[in-house]
Amino acid sequence: MSSRSGSTREYETSGQPHVHSASPPVPESSETETEGLIFYHMDLYGSKERFDIFPEELSGRGGRSLGDTRRESTSSSEKFQHSQEVGYDMEKEVAELAKMYGLDEDKEKELELLEGRGETGSRWPPARTQKAGSQGSVYNASKSSTSVKDQTQSTRQQGLPGKTSQDEDQSKVRGDDEADSNIWSREGLSSGGMSDEWNSQAVSEEEEEEEEVANVFCSTCKIPIRAFDKLFGEHKDHEVTQLPSAVKSEKEEIHKNMSKLEEQIAQMENVASHLEEIFLTVEENFGRQEQNFEVHYNDAVQVLAQKYEEQLEALGEEKRQKLEGLYEQLVSSGKHLDTCKELTDKTHELFLENDKAEFMKAAVTMVDRLEEFLKQEVDLELSTLPDFEERVIDFSQVEQLMNSINTIPAPSAPMINPQTPNAATGTSLRVCWGLFSDDTVECYQLCYKPVSNERHSYEQAEHTLKVKETYCTITDLLPNTQYEFWVSALNASGISPPSERAVYVTAPSAPTIKSKKIRSCENAALVCWESGDVNPVDSYTVELHKLTDEGNDDITESIVGIPNCEVLIHLQPRQKYHICVRAQNLGGSSERSEPVLIHTTGTCFYLNEDTAHPLLAILDDGFTISCDELENPECDLPVYDNSFTRCIAILGSLIPFPGKHYWEVEVEEDTEYRTGVAFENTPRHGHLGANNSSWCMRHIITPSRHKYEFLHSGTTPDIRITIPPRRIGVLLDYENCRLSFFNADIAQHLYTFKSHFQHYVHPCFALETPGILRIHTGITTPPWTALP
């Protein structure tokens, strides 16, 4: 059998003849014949006509028990085995062809037809003909010997060499009739050994079906199934997916569930950890409460003991006072009683006196004494009562102490956190703190003041804030300033001691770039700025923004950790850059400075006003110098220490970049001037070019012509220039040790100094007559300045 076009799958087993090779021809049909292959309609599998198409199948299914006289021979066992193999291939081919050509409906009709005959679960596979044959022998054992005789006769007829075609036709018709009768008789059996036979066949088929590997997944039933069950089985109307896709989806679902499970595990671990912390906290709180109770109890006992001592002392004092009063009264009564007894005795003695004169003398004295004694009042009442005063003990303080046992204690001192780097702004700070224990706190009292370097720091005003949280953002502060913070905790029982003091610092102010002090060339720039704060900062950061044709200015580079207020930056030629500067300290970064624009098209420098002669003025553009009147250069006008005093000159800023540098000077034809370069230490009281520290081109006007000199150490070569230059180009070449002058208007080379510059030099300019000079910087070096 040939294979299908465009597919690599072979439907015929190598070395095994195709089952269709033994089939008789059938009428041609477009439905059953494609590309040289012969296909038969699936309705034939459940009808009588299929025995004409597949006679081997009949022989295989019926075996000897069906009495098929057409296929009996001496080699019947070999053909029987061969029909089994052919039948197996037929089943496999029919299944795949049905799936490929959409013959599922015909297959379902076949199943319905077989189910109507009582062959549930069986697809009549030729591969099971051996089982059917062996089972068929059971119920055919009761047949009469006629069938055996017919079989023997059929065998003998097949073995006769002289058998005619008419006999063969008759034998064939008789075999067909017998086959039909055996089929319908088998379909009519519904009990006994026949039912047992087909039940065992169905069980064996189910076992073989279970052995087949499932390759799809039923989403409805949530079980793996075979693709055949989706086409013809109970899962026909169910939603199915490919088994690998279902496995992948299930793995993803399991992975999600595992992730959720891990999250739950993490949460439970956190809860367990939290519970452990709570457990420890309960123990700590119990110990603290126990200690608090013990302290309050001891205080109460101490107060009671103090009250007892006080009352006992007061009672003893009262006893002493009573005893002293009674004793004094007792002593007084004793003295009075003694006097009474004495008077009584003397009175009795007086009555016994016989001498009347003596009696009268003694009687008068005695009477006076008795009268005086009797005049004295005798206190017969007790001076003090024996009963003691009933005292009431004040237990209010004890009650207060006992009631305070259940109240919360005053909190302990908080712990203020150190400053978090890069968390401050120029005007605000965020301060955080915490507690050592789980004290109950109603609010916090935050105090701060600026740190002063002066001795009397108390002069700084303190500020106090009350906050509920353990953090606070303080605003309206000074940039780049240190502040001292401390905090206390408060509750109903009182205020805690203050925390240790912590110093925080605000972020700096934005620096200011000195745009007029910037020096640059084609591949570098020297940027200077000044700090916006009085206090020093830790460092500076320079941000470069390269401008593109689209106008974007993304940060190209950041230079960090710059300690001073200037930096030398390497740049790319013929580009535009925005440069910003930030100041850094522990508190954070300042805002960006105002950006400055730098062009790397040529060398840029500025004029140093500190070196200018008093008669020399710098106009508003910063690159034009003028001298209105020419007085005595050595006048008495105020000058700087670094200013020229004799030559009306000025220096430009230092050019600290190696390589070539070009600028131009625009002059007037009737102005006498000097221009060139000089070292930093060139004498301020001399003329440019008159010493070995300066090189310059000089223009003077004589009665006969314009004279040009190229001076160094006071000497000049004899050079005549016929066309007075109005725009002088100056080329400084550090690497080649050259200083060249050009007439820029006509691209004419005028003169070149060849000297080894041991140091970087300054551009220099001077006026010898009233006039102006205009300096042009940032010019691309012209190609005609290249010297051979």
Side-chain angles (χ1 to χ4, degrees):
M1 178 177 179
S2 62
S3 62
R4 282 181 50 83
S5 175
S7 174
T8 60
R9 182 180 180 90
E10 289 289 336
Y11 293 100
E12 181 175 346
T13 305
S14 176
Q16 180 177 333
H18 195 276
V19 66
H20 290 178
S21 61
S23 303
V26 296
E28 296 181 359
S29 175
S30 60
E31 297 179 357
T32 59
E33 183 174 349
T34 304
E35 298 182 3
L37 301 177
I38 299 176
F39 302 99
Y40 300 97
H41 200 278
M42 297 302 292
D43 290 342
L44 295 177
Y45 282 79
S47 63
K48 177 176 176 290
E49 286 77 7
R50 71 184 183 83
F51 296 105
D52 297 333
I53 301 174
F54 303 112
E56 296 85 356
E57 183 178 349
L58 177 61
S59 174
R61 293 186 59 87
R64 288 185 302 275
S65 63
L66 294 177
D68 189 0
T69 58
R70 294 181 305 161
R71 308 300 295 174
E72 291 178 354
S73 63
T74 57
S75 60
S76 59
S77 61
E78 296 178 359
K79 294 183 178 181
F80 183 78
Q81 181 68 23
H82 175 67
S83 65
Q84 279 187 321
E85 298 176 358
V86 174
Y88 178 79
D89 290 342
M90 188 62 198
E91 178 194 16
K92 184 177 180 181
E93 178 183 4
V94 168
E96 294 186 358
L97 291 176
K99 184 176 180 180
M100 180 175 297
Y101 291 98
L103 301 179
D104 299 342
E105 297 180 358
D106 296 337
K107 194 70 175 179
E108 292 175 3
K109 291 179 180 179
E110 176 196 2
L111 290 173
E112 293 175 358
L113 180 60
L114 294 178
E115 290 174 358
R117 295 178 180 178
E119 297 175 345
T120 305
S122 174
R123 297 187 300 275
W124 198 283
R128 301 187 180 96
T129 53
Q130 186 175 0
K131 294 182 181 179
S134 62
Q135 294 169 356
S137 63
V138 176
Y139 69 85
N140 284 325
S142 63
K143 284 186 176 290
S144 63
S145 60
T146 306
S147 61
V148 177
K149 182 179 179 180
D150 292 341
Q151 292 178 2
T152 306
Q153 183 179 0
S154 176
T155 304
R156 290 176 180 178
Q157 289 177 355
Q158 291 178 2
L160 294 177
K163 186 178 180 180
T164 63
S165 60
Q166 183 177 1
D167 296 336
E168 292 177 358
D169 295 336
Q170 292 177 358
S171 176
K172 180 178 181 181
V173 170
R174 187 167 55 250
D176 294 339
D177 295 338
E178 270 188 44
D180 293 338
S181 63
N182 288 334
I183 291 173
W184 296 112
S185 64
R186 185 180 63 180
E187 290 175 354
L189 294 177
S190 60
S191 61
M194 189 62 187
S195 61
D196 296 338
E197 171 198 357
W198 291 106
N199 288 337
S200 62
Q201 181 180 359
V203 171
S204 63
E205 289 178 356
E206 291 177 358
E207 291 177 354
E208 293 184 5
E209 289 177 359
E210 290 177 357
E211 293 177 358
E212 296 184 18
V213 179
N215 51 7
V216 294
F217 181 78
C218 179
S219 303
T220 305
C221 300
K222 303 297 183 181
I223 58 172
I225 62 172
R226 301 172 302 160
F228 184 83
D229 294 334
K230 167 61 180 173
L231 295 176
F232 308 110
E234 60 182 358
H235 304 279
K236 177 181 178 181
D237 297 330
H238 294 177
E239 182 181 356
V240 298
T241 58
Q242 293 296 326
L243 191 59
S245 300
V247 171
K248 182 179 179 181
S249 177
E250 198 67 21
K251 286 183 178 180
E252 292 178 355
E253 187 67 22
I254 293 174
H255 180 70
K256 291 180 181 178
N257 293 333
M258 287 296 294
S259 299
K260 293 180 180 179
L261 184 60
E262 291 176 356
E263 292 178 359
Q264 291 184 2
I265 291 173
Q267 292 177 357
M268 293 304 299
E269 289 178 350
N270 293 336
V271 170
S273 177
H274 183 63
L275 290 176
E276 292 178 359
E277 293 178 357
I278 295 300
F279 180 86
L280 297 176
T281 303
V282 169
E283 292 288 344
E284 293 175 358
N285 291 341
F286 170 76
R288 186 163 53 251
Q289 290 296 332
E290 183 181 17
Q291 183 180 5
N292 184 35
F293 177 78
E294 183 179 357
V295 169
H296 284 76
Y297 175 77
N298 292 334
D299 292 343
V301 171
Q302 185 178 359
V303 170
L304 286 174
Q306 183 179 357
K307 293 291 183 181
Y308 171 77
E309 294 293 337
E310 291 177 356
Q311 294 296 330
L312 186 61
E313 184 180 356
L315 186 63
E317 180 65 21
E318 184 178 0
K319 173 186 175 183
R320 185 185 62 77
Q321 291 177 358
K322 285 181 178 292
L323 292 177
E324 288 180 357
L326 291 173
Y327 179 76
E328 289 177 358
Q329 188 175 8
L330 180 62
V331 170
S332 177
S333 298
K335 290 180 179 181
H336 191 76
L337 182 60
D338 292 340
T339 304
C340 291
K341 289 181 178 180
E342 180 186 358
L343 291 176
T344 301
D345 293 340
K346 288 186 177 183
T347 302
H348 284 294
E349 291 178 358
L350 182 61
F351 280 107
L352 296 178
E353 182 66 44
N354 295 323
D355 188 358
K356 294 183 179 178
E358 293 293 331
F359 175 80
M360 288 303 295
K361 291 181 181 179
V364 173
T365 305
M366 181 59 68
V367 170
D368 294 336
R369 186 177 177 185
L370 287 173
E371 289 179 356
E372 183 180 358
F373 177 76
L374 291 176
K375 289 180 181 179
Q376 295 180 1
E377 293 183 0
V378 179
D379 187 6
L380 299 178
E381 295 181 359
L382 294 175
S383 62
T384 181
L385 296 176
D387 297 332
F388 284 85
E389 180 183 357
E390 185 176 354
R391 298 179 179 277
V392 179
I393 301 177
D394 184 12
F395 289 101
S396 60
Q397 186 177 0
V398 178
E399 291 178 355
Q400 183 179 0
L401 289 174
M402 297 302 294
N403 293 332
S404 64
I405 293 177
N406 296 325
T407 60
I408 57 175
S412 57
M415 178 183 64
I416 195 165
N417 299 337
Q419 183 176 8
T420 302
N422 302 321
T425 66
T427 58
S428 66
L429 286 170
R430 181 182 175 89
V431 184
C432 302
W433 59 88
L435 291 174
F436 284 109
S437 59
D438 296 331
D439 293 334
T440 301
V441 177
E442 295 180 0
C443 64
Y444 297 93
Q445 179 175 290
L446 178 65
C447 303
Y448 68 95
K449 66 177 182 179
V451 176
S452 176
N453 294 327
E454 300 175 357
R455 293 182 179 180
H456 306 291
S457 58
Y458 59 87
E459 295 180 359
Q460 297 288 345
E462 293 185 2
H463 304 273
T464 303
L465 298 174
K466 286 191 176 182
V467 294
K468 294 288 186 180
E469 297 80 9
T470 57
Y471 60 88
C472 181
T473 300
I474 300 94
T475 57
D476 298 330
L477 303 178
L478 298 176
N480 198 32
T481 303
Q482 290 182 337
Y483 288 87
E484 194 175 29
F485 291 89
W486 63 97
V487 64
S488 300
L490 293 87
N491 61 14
S493 300
I495 184 171
S496 73
S499 66
E500 294 184 359
R501 302 198 174 194
V503 176
Y504 282 52
V505 60
T506 54
S509 300
T512 302
I513 298 179
K514 301 177 181 179
S515 57
K516 294 184 178 181
K517 304 292 184 179
I518 293 177
R519 289 159 280 177
S520 64
C521 62
E522 291 185 354
N523 52 19
L526 183 64
V527 182
C528 303
W529 60 87
E530 59 183 7
S531 175
D533 303 297
V534 177
N535 298 325
V537 300
D538 295 342
S539 64
Y540 296 93
T541 298
V542 175
E543 297 177 356
L544 307 180
H545 303 261
K546 184 177 179 181
L547 300 180
T548 61
D549 296 336
E550 293 79 10
N552 299 328
D553 58 347
D554 294 336
I555 296 179
T556 304
E557 183 181 359
S558 292
I559 305 173
V560 299
I562 303 172
N564 303 319
C565 290
E566 67 174 25
V567 63
L568 179 62
I569 309 170
H570 295 282
L571 305 174
Q572 298 177 1
R574 293 177 295 279
Q575 299 293 336
K576 297 179 182 179
Y577 292 90
H578 268 154
I579 295 183
C580 303
V581 182
R582 295 178 185 265
Q584 301 278 348
N585 65 6
L586 178 63
S589 174
S590 71
E591 298 294 330
R592 291 179 181 174
S593 66
E594 289 295 328
V596 295
L597 181 62
I598 293 180
H599 297 265
T600 56
T601 54
T603 301
C604 294
F605 56 85
Y606 62 92
L607 297 179
N608 191 348
E609 298 181 3
D610 295 340
T611 63
H613 189 276
L615 297 178
L616 195 65
I618 302 176
L619 302 187
D620 294 337
D621 60 1
F623 292 96
T624 302
I625 60 175
S626 66
C627 181
D628 295 334
E629 55 182 353
L630 190 60
E631 300 178 356
N632 182 10
E634 298 180 1
C635 59
D636 296 331
L637 294 176
V639 295
Y640 297 102
D641 295 337
N642 199 28
S643 300
F644 285 94
T645 58
R646 185 175 181 183
C647 179
I648 305 176
I650 188 174
L651 294 180
S653 58
L654 186 70
I655 301 178
F657 317 112
K660 296 181 179 180
H661 305 279
Y662 179 82
W663 64 92
E664 294 180 354
V665 181
E666 186 178 351
V667 300
E668 295 179 351
E669 188 175 353
D670 56 350
T671 301
E672 296 182 355
Y673 56 85
R674 298 182 187 220
T675 182
V677 298
F679 287 139
E680 172 69 29
N681 60 354
T682 189
R684 301 297 193 263
H685 58 277
H687 290 277
L688 297 177
N691 47 61
N692 59 0
S693 60
S694 59
W695 299 257
C696 71
M697 171 183 173
R698 181 189 183 193
H699 171 239
I700 56 176
I701 302 176
T702 63
S704 59
R705 62 186 179 91
H706 292 271
K707 185 178 181 181
Y708 295 91
E709 298 176 343
F710 297 92
L711 297 170
H712 176 63
S713 298
T715 61
T716 178
D718 186 11
I719 296 177
R720 292 180 177 268
I721 299 176
T722 57
I723 301 176
R726 299 292 302 272
R727 195 179 184 97
I728 302 171
V730 182
L731 178 64
L732 173 62
D733 190 349
Y734 280 121
E735 295 179 355
N736 296 317
C737 304
R738 292 181 178 181
L739 176 65
S740 302
F741 297 89
F742 302 88
N743 186 341
D745 292 331
I746 59 175
Q748 180 186 16
H749 173 250
L750 301 179
Y751 183 75
T752 296
F753 289 101
K754 294 183 179 181
S755 176
H756 179 67
F757 301 105
Q758 297 178 353
H759 308 285
Y760 290 120
V761 297
H762 296 255
C764 57
F765 312 91
L767 287 171
E768 297 185 353
T769 59
I772 61 174
L773 294 179
R774 293 185 178 89
I775 298 96
H776 300 273
T777 62
I779 302 173
T780 303
T781 304
W784 42 262
T785 58
L787 298 177

